[in-house]
Amino acid sequence: MSKKYDVIIIGAGPAGLFAGLSINGKKFKTLIIEKKQTPGKKLLLSGGGQCNFTNSSEIREFNVRYNNKNFVTPSLRSFSNNDLIDFLDKKCFKSLIRDDGKVFPESARASDLADLFVRLNIENGVDIISGTDVKSVSRDEECFNITTSGTSYNSRYLIIATGGKSYPQTGSDGTGFKLAEMLGHSITVLKPSLAPVFIKNHKLMELSGISFNNAKIDLYRNNTKTGSFTGELLITHKGFSGPAILNNSRYMENLDLLKISFTGKNFEETDQILQAGRNNSGKQSVKKFLQILNIPERLILFILNTLEISPGAQVSQLSREQRISLARYLSEYPSIINMVGDFSSAMATSGGVLTSEINKKTMESRICPGLYFAGEVLDIDGDTGGYNIQWAISSGRLAAMSISGTG
Ligand SMILES: Cc1cc2nc3c(=O)[nH]c(=O)nc-3n(C[C@H](O)[C@H](O)[C@H](O)COP(=O)(O)OP(=O)(O)OC[C@H]3O[C@@H](n4cnc5c(N)ncnc54)[C@H](O)[C@@H]3O)c2cc1C
């Protein structure tokens, strides 16, 4: 015999948990089914375990941070970043807004947010079953039939909030797309998004951990420039990461060439600074002089060592060739991409349930009445900076409010 619910939510990530805590729990008997033993596994990893759950930028500026700005607008307007911060504040959960706009729990613990979401679900009367994988879904005239390995359930409404397919060990391994297909939905091409890049013969390995606030990256494919990006760049053991790479990894392919300016300036500008230094600060050591470029000393020493320039040499002693090589290294450092991170290292999935099949004002399927979607399972992916979790929460809430407003 099937267990009966009014609403079943598949997936206890931020989208599913926020849908559960937002639903009218008095009116709708609701169940969340989660594959992993612990709800919100990806949430717990997010922001390096600190959870950058939203961004403080104006909500009207959010739209451009996603692949499909028209689709996300109603969800984000109905529950914005400020609404979320206020909501948490009312639950005595303090947020910390960083200078760069990223918003974290004041405690810097993702687990505090996950625990709060679970507690609010329980207080709302929502049942949560963890460690249970939904294997199949179908719909007959009366209800949805949901089957796990041991049990069947049925419900009047179903919310699929199963996430994407990156970091599959967190539970969002792409099986949710199959569930959507079982109910007639189409899935777009799936690609890793927000991925680091791994570099061929990575020479900067020993500098891993260093980041640059205003780096500029020019992207080349077959000797043609195909993109130019600016922002924070992080050197890693195997290549590069940081927002400037992650937010643009969707445009990058294996064997593309990156030309990196650590200073954000192009070759001519960098060379002019070095030439001016020769004229105005000729007696200064090269190492000291380069500090005006605002780059970490470790990089300066590394470059000088690589170019066989003594750090103590005076700026005026630099030969023309040395000056030019230095300017090139600083402004056009070449790196060939060996591999753009795959789903095991990408933070998000580009692609998902085709959004034209969903009503963006309610999150209800246009194909299967009573079926709703929320979060990363949809063909929505955002930049780093808190945009993905905000999307999951706003869309989860909109789905729940839409159901709560029905019979
Ligand atoms: C390392 C890392 C760091 C990140 N940091 C940030 C950050 O700081 N800020 C930010 O905004 N975004 C961040 N993201 C992205 C963000 O975590 C996701 O976009 C967000 O969690 C998506 O929420 P969701 O609820 O849609 O899906 P998920 O969080 O993926 O949750 C989906 C849930 O559904 C469950 N599930 C899947 N299939 C089934 C099934 N068949 N049966 C039952 N349950 C199922 C899964 O186990 C999972 O718990 C990060 C991602 C990663 C990988």
Side-chain angles (χ1 to χ4, degrees), residues 270-286 289 292 314-324:
T270 312
D271 193 40
Q272 268 166 22
I273 291 172
L274 297 182
Q275 287 194 47
R278 194 183 157 86
N279 298 334
N280 305 328
S281 320
K283 289 216 157 50
Q284 232 178 25
S285 72
V286 183
F289 174 72
I292 65 163
Q314 292 182 354
V315 180
S316 60
Q317 290 172 338
L318 284 180
S319 67
R320 183 171 179 277
E321 288 70 33
Q322 282 176 318
R323 193 195 76 226
I324 288 174

Side-chain angles (χ1 to χ4, degrees), residues 9-17 33-36 38-43 45-54 104 132-135 161-168 170-176 179 194 345-349 374-378 383-393 395:
I9 301 169
I10 310 177
L17 288 171
I33 305 177
E34 166 55 44
K35 178 187 289 194
K36 290 287 178 180
T38 316
K41 278 206 96 173
K42 197 172 273 180
L43 192 66
L45 283 183
S46 65
Q50 300 189 359
C51 187
N52 167 209
F53 63 84
T54 191
F104 292 84
T132 303
D133 192 356
V134 174
K135 302 281 187 201
T162 44
K165 63 180 280 189
S166 71
Y167 269 66
T170 60
S172 31
D173 54 6
T175 52
L179 302 179
L194 302 184
S345 58
M347 285 171 158
T349 301
E376 209 182 306
V377 69
L378 285 153
D383 286 350
T384 55
Y387 299 99
N388 285 301
I389 293 176
Q390 177 71 53
W391 160 249
I393 286 175
S395 57

Side-chain angles (χ1 to χ4, degrees), residues 13 33 41 45 56 81 162 178 184 211 227 243 248-250 268 290 342 347 353 373:
I33 305 177
K41 278 206 96 173
L45 283 183
S56 67
N81 51 351
T162 44
K178 303 238 161 25
S211 62
N248 299 298
S249 64
R250 56 172 87 102
E268 285 74 22
L290 289 177
D342 59 12
M347 285 171 158
V353 174
F373 290 92

